[in-house]
Structures are given as C-alpha cells and as structure tokens.
Amino acid sequence: MTMLTYTLITDPAPLAASEAGRQSKSTGTVYLLVTNTGQTAYATIKVTVPVGTGAGHLTHDFTTITPKGEHTDIKTGRTRAVTVQTQNFAVQVSDQGSAVSFGPGDHMVVTLENVTVAPEPGLAVLRVTEAAGRSKSGGLRRSDTVVAVVKTAPKDIPAPHGFLADDVVVDAGTKVTLNWEGSDDFTYEVLFPGGRKPVPRVKHPGSHGPYSLVLDAGDAPRRDTTYTLVAGFGAQRHTLTTTVQVRNPVLGTLTAVDGVTTPRLAGSTQGDGSITFLPGGVKVWSTPGSDAPGTVFADKADLDGVNTRWVQGRSSDDGWIAFSRFGLQVYPGGPGTSTHGVVYADSVRAKDAPYGQGGGWINLHDEGMTVYLSKNGSNGLGSVTARDFNR
C-alpha cells in the first residue's frame, strides 16, 4: 500500500482517441495529483506510460510528451518545481535525485503535456511506483499502484465554414477565387456546372487553416453559377455552396415564360447592331451607342400598317417609290433620282367610275388597251372621256 494518494485528471476529459489516417491527431494533457493525507513522508515517484496503438495504451508516440512537476507546501503556500526525468516510457520525479519531502497535507502535480492519444478507444492504465518512507535518512519502501485514463471514440472533424468567392459579381470569363476555412484532414473537391476541381492538400501549422481554389479562364463562369464544396473523410461528408453572379451572362438558349424586361439588346461582338426599347415601339441602331439607324432583315413581315418615306427593291439599282401628301411617285434607280419611273400592270381598275360597283376597268395588252364597263363583272365596252385629243 502506498503512503501517498494518487488521482489522475485529463484535459480534455475524457480524452478522445486519435483516428487512423487523419493528419491531425487527438492530443491532451494528463495530470497526476499526488497528495499526502498522513504524517510527513519522503518519496520518489515513477510513472510508467503504456505505449502502443491498442485500447490499453495511452499514446503511440512517447516522444511528444513534455513532463513537469510542481510541489506545493501547504504551510508556506510556496510552489516549486521538482526534477523530472524520462526513461524507457517512464517519468521519474525526485528532488534533484533525492526523495521529495511531503508534509501533512502537501501535494504535488506531475503533468504530462502534449500527449498524442493512441488510436483505439478504451482504458489505459498507468503504473505508479512509489519509493517512500517516514524518515528521510531511513530506507524507502517500494509500493505500486495504478491510475487509469478513459479514451473515447475519435471525435468528428469540425465542419468547414466560410465558403465564399473573392468577388460575388464578375464579368463573364473572369477567373474566380473561392476561399474557405477547414481541417487538413478532409479531402476537398469543388463542383460546378460542367466541371469539378480537386483541391490539393496544404500543410498548416495547425489542423484548421485557410484554403483557396482559383478557377482560371477555362473554368470561369459565363452565367450565374453555384459552386459546391464537398469535404470528406471516411464516413464524414460536408457540403457548402456559394453563388457567383455574372453581369453579362453568355447563354446557349434562353426561354422566358413571363417575358424579358430590358432597355436594350445588342449583338455579342464589336460592330453588331442594337435595339432600344422606347415607349410605344423600338428603334434599331447600326452599332451600340450610335445615333445612326440600322437595318432590319426579314423574309416577310405581317403588319397592320407601315409608315415610311420611301420603299426600294433589294438592289441599289432597283426603282423606288416615294410617298407624298398627294399620293406616291415612282422613280428608277436608287433613292435621290428625280426621273420618273414606270409602273407595270396587266390592267387598271378605277374605283369610282360612273357605273359604280367594280368601277371601270382598263385592260392593258400588247396591241394597246381596252376599256370595259366592269359593272357587276360585265365585259361590256366602256367609254373614254377626255377634254381634248391631239393626233
């Protein structure tokens, strides 16, 4: 039976086992509280740590442990450091090689810092070997006892957070930089329409650091795009999303159910025409920002009416028709010529002839022309009335 009393405390409590394959390991601190509950005692103390990867081991790497010891005299209230040595997976505590003096009520704390917890959950038992006596000059008697540490199952890796783009509104084709905070234990991948990008692992001083991924011109968004960050380790899986808006989206097709509202439409390349929407109609311009009217090309038009100053054939040499307040005038060649042109027709019908319905009808043929009554479709010859005739 030991002269001193031993109590073991951990931080955090309980300790979580490390998980195989994770870059970040579970670490903690083990405190061994040594208390004298009786008469004055003198003792050296050895704590043997079970090392390995099993359920009964505290750590698989003894070299990471930093030990220290502090003794507190209850009468004076003074705390002082004691000598701590390590050897063969054990920590030896003494007073510069001699037994430490424990007055009634004195205590000592042996601290094992930076313990990398072994990967299997379970109960790790530490053996305490005490060499103690009531007299400093007398022989010290060896006694053994044990203290135990609980190791729970590994904790989940903290979920990543802060998944955002440097710029949430960009021009089409502009590179995008995505940033987030997350553990180095995860394998990261960014998904987006038409592609996916794995994220290279990076090394940080801690297990939780900043990440970034740059999508260059080849993967840059051409329309509003939602990016999905996928973080995975074993059975753990987390997804985060962020959206980047594009000022000038490039679309393959556009289907608008309720209509499209815009003040202007323009072509996608330099020099293309544009359409401006005005109250009551539209205007077509030769180039965006220009005041020069442009041209509308179509196979046919089905309209309720047309208001125009002139009409011409497709060729620049074709005749054209000008509209004046008194009627219309036909000219040969392009607009601007003043010579009158020719109207070709098989026949001419006069709407308001004396015989009424149908009007008079003039048939034009190779030998000349014939005037018909054209009353109710009659082929009866009609009359030509003139004030004068010069032959």
PDB file of all heavy atoms in Angstrom, residues 265-288:
ATOM      1  N   LEU A 265     -31.067  45.654 -76.307  1.00  0.00           N
ATOM      2  CA  LEU A 265     -30.477  44.408 -76.750  1.00  0.00           C
ATOM      3  C   LEU A 265     -29.374  44.737 -77.739  1.00  0.00           C
ATOM      4  O   LEU A 265     -29.520  45.625 -78.578  1.00  0.00           O
ATOM      5  CB  LEU A 265     -31.508  43.504 -77.434  1.00  0.00           C
ATOM      6  CG  LEU A 265     -32.598  42.874 -76.564  1.00  0.00           C
ATOM      7  CD1 LEU A 265     -33.568  42.089 -77.437  1.00  0.00           C
ATOM      8  CD2 LEU A 265     -31.985  41.962 -75.500  1.00  0.00           C
ATOM      9  N   ALA A 266     -28.250  44.010 -77.662  1.00  0.00           N
ATOM     10  CA  ALA A 266     -27.135  44.248 -78.574  1.00  0.00           C
ATOM     11  C   ALA A 266     -26.505  42.929 -78.956  1.00  0.00           C
ATOM     12  O   ALA A 266     -26.612  41.932 -78.237  1.00  0.00           O
ATOM     13  CB  ALA A 266     -26.086  45.163 -77.931  1.00  0.00           C
ATOM     14  N   GLY A 267     -25.821  42.911 -80.128  1.00  0.00           N
ATOM     15  CA  GLY A 267     -25.082  41.734 -80.544  1.00  0.00           C
ATOM     16  C   GLY A 267     -23.910  41.459 -79.622  1.00  0.00           C
ATOM     17  O   GLY A 267     -23.528  42.294 -78.793  1.00  0.00           O
ATOM     18  N   SER A 268     -23.315  40.280 -79.774  1.00  0.00           N
ATOM     19  CA  SER A 268     -22.260  39.854 -78.850  1.00  0.00           C
ATOM     20  C   SER A 268     -20.870  40.270 -79.291  1.00  0.00           C
ATOM     21  O   SER A 268     -19.913  40.087 -78.543  1.00  0.00           O
ATOM     22  CB  SER A 268     -22.307  38.327 -78.671  1.00  0.00           C
ATOM     23  OG  SER A 268     -22.128  37.673 -79.914  1.00  0.00           O
ATOM     24  N   THR A 269     -20.681  40.799 -80.519  1.00  0.00           N
ATOM     25  CA  THR A 269     -19.359  41.184 -80.994  1.00  0.00           C
ATOM     26  C   THR A 269     -19.337  42.669 -81.357  1.00  0.00           C
ATOM     27  O   THR A 269     -20.374  43.304 -81.521  1.00  0.00           O
ATOM     28  CB  THR A 269     -18.941  40.353 -82.218  1.00  0.00           C
ATOM     29  OG1 THR A 269     -19.885  40.581 -83.277  1.00  0.00           O
ATOM     30  CG2 THR A 269     -18.923  38.861 -81.881  1.00  0.00           C
ATOM     31  N   GLN A 270     -18.129  43.200 -81.491  1.00  0.00           N
ATOM     32  CA  GLN A 270     -17.979  44.618 -81.866  1.00  0.00           C
ATOM     33  C   GLN A 270     -18.623  44.884 -83.217  1.00  0.00           C
ATOM     34  O   GLN A 270     -18.435  44.127 -84.165  1.00  0.00           O
ATOM     35  CB  GLN A 270     -16.488  44.981 -81.957  1.00  0.00           C
ATOM     36  CG  GLN A 270     -15.801  45.151 -80.608  1.00  0.00           C
ATOM     37  CD  GLN A 270     -16.158  46.502 -80.014  1.00  0.00           C
ATOM     38  OE1 GLN A 270     -16.982  47.249 -80.562  1.00  0.00           O
ATOM     39  NE2 GLN A 270     -15.566  46.837 -78.907  1.00  0.00           N
ATOM     40  N   GLY A 271     -19.343  45.997 -83.307  1.00  0.00           N
ATOM     41  CA  GLY A 271     -19.948  46.388 -84.568  1.00  0.00           C
ATOM     42  C   GLY A 271     -21.338  45.854 -84.781  1.00  0.00           C
ATOM     43  O   GLY A 271     -21.997  46.231 -85.760  1.00  0.00           O
ATOM     44  N   ASP A 272     -21.815  44.934 -83.938  1.00  0.00           N
ATOM     45  CA  ASP A 272     -23.175  44.426 -84.098  1.00  0.00           C
ATOM     46  C   ASP A 272     -24.177  45.529 -83.784  1.00  0.00           C
ATOM     47  O   ASP A 272     -23.906  46.452 -83.004  1.00  0.00           O
ATOM     48  CB  ASP A 272     -23.413  43.237 -83.164  1.00  0.00           C
ATOM     49  CG  ASP A 272     -22.707  41.995 -83.658  1.00  0.00           C
ATOM     50  OD1 ASP A 272     -22.211  42.023 -84.788  1.00  0.00           O
ATOM     51  OD2 ASP A 272     -22.648  41.000 -82.912  1.00  0.00           O
ATOM     52  N   GLY A 273     -25.355  45.415 -84.389  1.00  0.00           N
ATOM     53  CA  GLY A 273     -26.400  46.387 -84.142  1.00  0.00           C
ATOM     54  C   GLY A 273     -27.024  46.216 -82.770  1.00  0.00           C
ATOM     55  O   GLY A 273     -26.738  45.261 -82.039  1.00  0.00           O
ATOM     56  N   SER A 274     -27.876  47.175 -82.405  1.00  0.00           N
ATOM     57  CA  SER A 274     -28.561  47.110 -81.122  1.00  0.00           C
ATOM     58  C   SER A 274     -29.996  47.576 -81.295  1.00  0.00           C
ATOM     59  O   SER A 274     -30.333  48.273 -82.258  1.00  0.00           O
ATOM     60  CB  SER A 274     -27.852  47.972 -80.078  1.00  0.00           C
ATOM     61  OG  SER A 274     -27.923  49.339 -80.424  1.00  0.00           O
ATOM     62  N   ILE A 275     -30.835  47.175 -80.352  1.00  0.00           N
ATOM     63  CA  ILE A 275     -32.247  47.547 -80.356  1.00  0.00           C
ATOM     64  C   ILE A 275     -32.539  48.258 -79.045  1.00  0.00           C
ATOM     65  O   ILE A 275     -32.217  47.748 -77.967  1.00  0.00           O
ATOM     66  CB  ILE A 275     -33.161  46.322 -80.499  1.00  0.00           C
ATOM     67  CG1 ILE A 275     -32.875  45.584 -81.815  1.00  0.00           C
ATOM     68  CG2 ILE A 275     -34.637  46.726 -80.432  1.00  0.00           C
ATOM     69  CD1 ILE A 275     -33.634  44.276 -81.950  1.00  0.00           C
ATOM     70  N   THR A 276     -33.130  49.440 -79.146  1.00  0.00           N
ATOM     71  CA  THR A 276     -33.535  50.193 -77.971  1.00  0.00           C
ATOM     72  C   THR A 276     -35.051  50.168 -77.860  1.00  0.00           C
ATOM     73  O   THR A 276     -35.752  50.371 -78.852  1.00  0.00           O
ATOM     74  CB  THR A 276     -33.053  51.648 -78.058  1.00  0.00           C
ATOM     75  OG1 THR A 276     -31.635  51.663 -78.200  1.00  0.00           O
ATOM     76  CG2 THR A 276     -33.425  52.420 -76.800  1.00  0.00           C
ATOM     77  N   PHE A 277     -35.528  49.893 -76.639  1.00  0.00           N
ATOM     78  CA  PHE A 277     -36.972  49.830 -76.405  1.00  0.00           C
ATOM     79  C   PHE A 277     -37.439  51.173 -75.867  1.00  0.00           C
ATOM     80  O   PHE A 277     -36.963  51.661 -74.850  1.00  0.00           O
ATOM     81  CB  PHE A 277     -37.297  48.707 -75.420  1.00  0.00           C
ATOM     82  CG  PHE A 277     -36.973  47.346 -75.968  1.00  0.00           C
ATOM     83  CD1 PHE A 277     -35.706  46.806 -75.801  1.00  0.00           C
ATOM     84  CD2 PHE A 277     -37.923  46.610 -76.656  1.00  0.00           C
ATOM     85  CE1 PHE A 277     -35.397  45.561 -76.308  1.00  0.00           C
ATOM     86  CE2 PHE A 277     -37.622  45.364 -77.163  1.00  0.00           C
ATOM     87  CZ  PHE A 277     -36.353  44.830 -76.997  1.00  0.00           C
ATOM     88  N   LEU A 278     -38.398  51.776 -76.614  1.00  0.00           N
ATOM     89  CA  LEU A 278     -38.927  53.084 -76.265  1.00  0.00           C
ATOM     90  C   LEU A 278     -40.413  52.967 -75.966  1.00  0.00           C
ATOM     91  O   LEU A 278     -41.054  51.970 -76.320  1.00  0.00           O
ATOM     92  CB  LEU A 278     -38.710  54.052 -77.431  1.00  0.00           C
ATOM     93  CG  LEU A 278     -37.275  54.229 -77.916  1.00  0.00           C
ATOM     94  CD1 LEU A 278     -37.264  55.107 -79.155  1.00  0.00           C
ATOM     95  CD2 LEU A 278     -36.423  54.840 -76.820  1.00  0.00           C
ATOM     96  N   PRO A 279     -41.002  53.969 -75.332  1.00  0.00           N
ATOM     97  CA  PRO A 279     -42.456  53.923 -75.118  1.00  0.00           C
ATOM     98  C   PRO A 279     -43.194  53.816 -76.452  1.00  0.00           C
ATOM     99  O   PRO A 279     -43.041  54.670 -77.327  1.00  0.00           O
ATOM    100  CB  PRO A 279     -42.746  55.268 -74.422  1.00  0.00           C
ATOM    101  CG  PRO A 279     -41.464  55.631 -73.751  1.00  0.00           C
ATOM    102  CD  PRO A 279     -40.380  55.127 -74.665  1.00  0.00           C
ATOM    103  N   GLY A 280     -43.932  52.749 -76.657  1.00  0.00           N
ATOM    104  CA  GLY A 280     -44.727  52.573 -77.863  1.00  0.00           C
ATOM    105  C   GLY A 280     -44.017  51.904 -79.012  1.00  0.00           C
ATOM    106  O   GLY A 280     -44.614  51.720 -80.081  1.00  0.00           O
ATOM    107  N   GLY A 281     -42.723  51.530 -78.887  1.00  0.00           N
ATOM    108  CA  GLY A 281     -42.051  50.892 -80.019  1.00  0.00           C
ATOM    109  C   GLY A 281     -40.587  50.621 -79.748  1.00  0.00           C
ATOM    110  O   GLY A 281     -40.126  50.651 -78.610  1.00  0.00           O
ATOM    111  N   VAL A 282     -39.849  50.323 -80.846  1.00  0.00           N
ATOM    112  CA  VAL A 282     -38.429  50.029 -80.734  1.00  0.00           C
ATOM    113  C   VAL A 282     -37.687  50.814 -81.813  1.00  0.00           C
ATOM    114  O   VAL A 282     -38.268  51.234 -82.812  1.00  0.00           O
ATOM    115  CB  VAL A 282     -38.139  48.523 -80.917  1.00  0.00           C
ATOM    116  CG1 VAL A 282     -38.796  47.704 -79.828  1.00  0.00           C
ATOM    117  CG2 VAL A 282     -38.560  48.042 -82.293  1.00  0.00           C
ATOM    118  N   LYS A 283     -36.383  51.004 -81.598  1.00  0.00           N
ATOM    119  CA  LYS A 283     -35.516  51.602 -82.597  1.00  0.00           C
ATOM    120  C   LYS A 283     -34.323  50.689 -82.801  1.00  0.00           C
ATOM    121  O   LYS A 283     -33.766  50.147 -81.845  1.00  0.00           O
ATOM    122  CB  LYS A 283     -35.050  52.989 -82.160  1.00  0.00           C
ATOM    123  CG  LYS A 283     -36.095  54.078 -82.349  1.00  0.00           C
ATOM    124  CD  LYS A 283     -35.500  55.471 -82.139  1.00  0.00           C
ATOM    125  CE  LYS A 283     -36.541  56.546 -82.439  1.00  0.00           C
ATOM    126  NZ  LYS A 283     -35.977  57.905 -82.266  1.00  0.00           N
ATOM    127  N   VAL A 284     -33.924  50.529 -84.063  1.00  0.00           N
ATOM    128  CA  VAL A 284     -32.779  49.698 -84.422  1.00  0.00           C
ATOM    129  C   VAL A 284     -31.625  50.618 -84.806  1.00  0.00           C
ATOM    130  O   VAL A 284     -31.783  51.510 -85.650  1.00  0.00           O
ATOM    131  CB  VAL A 284     -33.124  48.748 -85.590  1.00  0.00           C
ATOM    132  CG1 VAL A 284     -31.903  47.921 -85.971  1.00  0.00           C
ATOM    133  CG2 VAL A 284     -34.287  47.843 -85.200  1.00  0.00           C
ATOM    134  N   TRP A 285     -30.441  50.379 -84.189  1.00  0.00           N
ATOM    135  CA  TRP A 285     -29.268  51.203 -84.436  1.00  0.00           C
ATOM    136  C   TRP A 285     -28.184  50.365 -85.096  1.00  0.00           C
ATOM    137  O   TRP A 285     -28.099  49.156 -84.903  1.00  0.00           O
ATOM    138  CB  TRP A 285     -28.737  51.793 -83.131  1.00  0.00           C
ATOM    139  CG  TRP A 285     -29.782  52.476 -82.311  1.00  0.00           C
ATOM    140  CD1 TRP A 285     -30.413  51.993 -81.222  1.00  0.00           C
ATOM    141  CD2 TRP A 285     -30.339  53.776 -82.541  1.00  0.00           C
ATOM    142  NE1 TRP A 285     -31.330  52.877 -80.735  1.00  0.00           N
ATOM    143  CE2 TRP A 285     -31.307  54.004 -81.531  1.00  0.00           C
ATOM    144  CE3 TRP A 285     -30.128  54.767 -83.497  1.00  0.00           C
ATOM    145  CZ2 TRP A 285     -32.045  55.176 -81.452  1.00  0.00           C
ATOM    146  CZ3 TRP A 285     -30.856  55.942 -83.407  1.00  0.00           C
ATOM    147  CH2 TRP A 285     -31.801  56.146 -82.409  1.00  0.00           C
ATOM    148  N   SER A 286     -27.337  51.034 -85.871  1.00  0.00           N
ATOM    149  CA  SER A 286     -26.290  50.311 -86.608  1.00  0.00           C
ATOM    150  C   SER A 286     -25.261  49.711 -85.673  1.00  0.00           C
ATOM    151  O   SER A 286     -24.750  48.608 -85.897  1.00  0.00           O
ATOM    152  CB  SER A 286     -25.608  51.245 -87.602  1.00  0.00           C
ATOM    153  OG  SER A 286     -25.031  52.353 -86.918  1.00  0.00           O
ATOM    154  N   THR A 287     -24.900  50.409 -84.599  1.00  0.00           N
ATOM    155  CA  THR A 287     -23.959  49.905 -83.586  1.00  0.00           C
ATOM    156  C   THR A 287     -24.432  50.384 -82.226  1.00  0.00           C
ATOM    157  O   THR A 287     -25.101  51.423 -82.117  1.00  0.00           O
ATOM    158  CB  THR A 287     -22.519  50.408 -83.823  1.00  0.00           C
ATOM    159  OG1 THR A 287     -22.530  51.837 -83.874  1.00  0.00           O
ATOM    160  CG2 THR A 287     -21.946  49.849 -85.118  1.00  0.00           C
ATOM    161  N   PRO A 288     -24.070  49.654 -81.141  1.00  0.00           N
ATOM    162  CA  PRO A 288     -24.474  50.105 -79.805  1.00  0.00           C
ATOM    163  C   PRO A 288     -23.930  51.490 -79.508  1.00  0.00           C
ATOM    164  O   PRO A 288     -22.774  51.809 -79.766  1.00  0.00           O
ATOM    165  CB  PRO A 288     -23.840  49.053 -78.887  1.00  0.00           C
ATOM    166  CG  PRO A 288     -23.676  47.837 -79.743  1.00  0.00           C
ATOM    167  CD  PRO A 288     -23.370  48.364 -81.117  1.00  0.00           C
TER     168      PRO A 288
END
